[in-house]
Amino acid sequence: MPNVLIVEDDESIAQLLDFMLQRQGYGVEICRDGRAAEQRIVTGPVPALVLMDVMLPYKDGFELIALLRRQLGWGDVPVLMLSAKSHEPDIVRALEAGSTGYVVKPFQPKEVLARVKQLIGAQA
């Protein structure tokens, strides 16, 4: 099954996403802050999908998406941004930065799962 990289500093949200995705058979890797995510993006294998919070310690989601889009092999990886920021300028900024989609927190788990399946299926 495809691997999903979760970049989320909120423990409960990371655990929920991890549980939900593993139940569906996805491999999951979690980075808890921007520095860990930066290291993972630069050195790790390319995942099928990235679920990324916007507001993270050390480096935010916008910095990370710019970094991953510059990495060899990462250009077409779908990135679903998760954020408590629900204002249109924030959503537009994320999409313009290279995000494939944007989900406002608190989110509905089934909606996120449906988006994950859609985005990973679109790659196949």
Side-chain angles (χ1 to χ4, degrees):
M1 253 333 226
N3 287 321
V4 177
L5 174 60
I6 298 171
V7 183
E8 175 60 65
D9 62 321
D10 183 307
E11 180 74 27
S12 60
I13 293 174
Q15 285 181 346
L16 171 65
L17 292 169
D18 181 33
F19 174 76
M20 192 171 72
L21 293 170
Q22 286 198 41
R23 275 191 58 187
Q24 295 296 313
Y26 294 102
V28 176
E29 186 175 353
I30 300 172
C31 292
R32 302 270 185 217
D33 62 51
R35 277 195 298 227
E38 177 182 41
Q39 185 67 24
R40 169 59 181 77
I41 290 164
V42 172
T43 62
V46 178
L49 174 81
V50 178
L51 293 175
M52 187 175 337
D53 190 4
V54 172
M55 296 179 288
L56 295 160
Y58 309 116
K59 291 193 177 288
D60 68 24
F62 298 115
E63 292 174 276
L64 293 171
I65 200 165
L67 171 70
L68 75 81
R69 290 295 181 224
R70 292 191 306 265
Q71 298 301 306
L72 185 64
W74 287 75
D76 293 330
V77 174
V79 178
L80 186 59
M81 301 291 275
L82 306 171
S83 180
K85 294 184 173 194
S86 60
H87 297 295
E88 183 183 25
D90 298 313
I91 298 168
V92 169
R93 181 177 176 206
L95 295 171
E96 288 177 345
S99 175
T100 314
Y102 193 95
V103 175
V104 176
K105 296 177 186 175
F107 55 79
Q108 297 298 318
K110 288 182 181 178
E111 177 190 355
V112 171
L113 189 57
R115 289 177 184 251
V116 166
K117 288 179 180 179
Q118 177 189 36
L119 291 170
I120 289 177
Q123 285 185 292

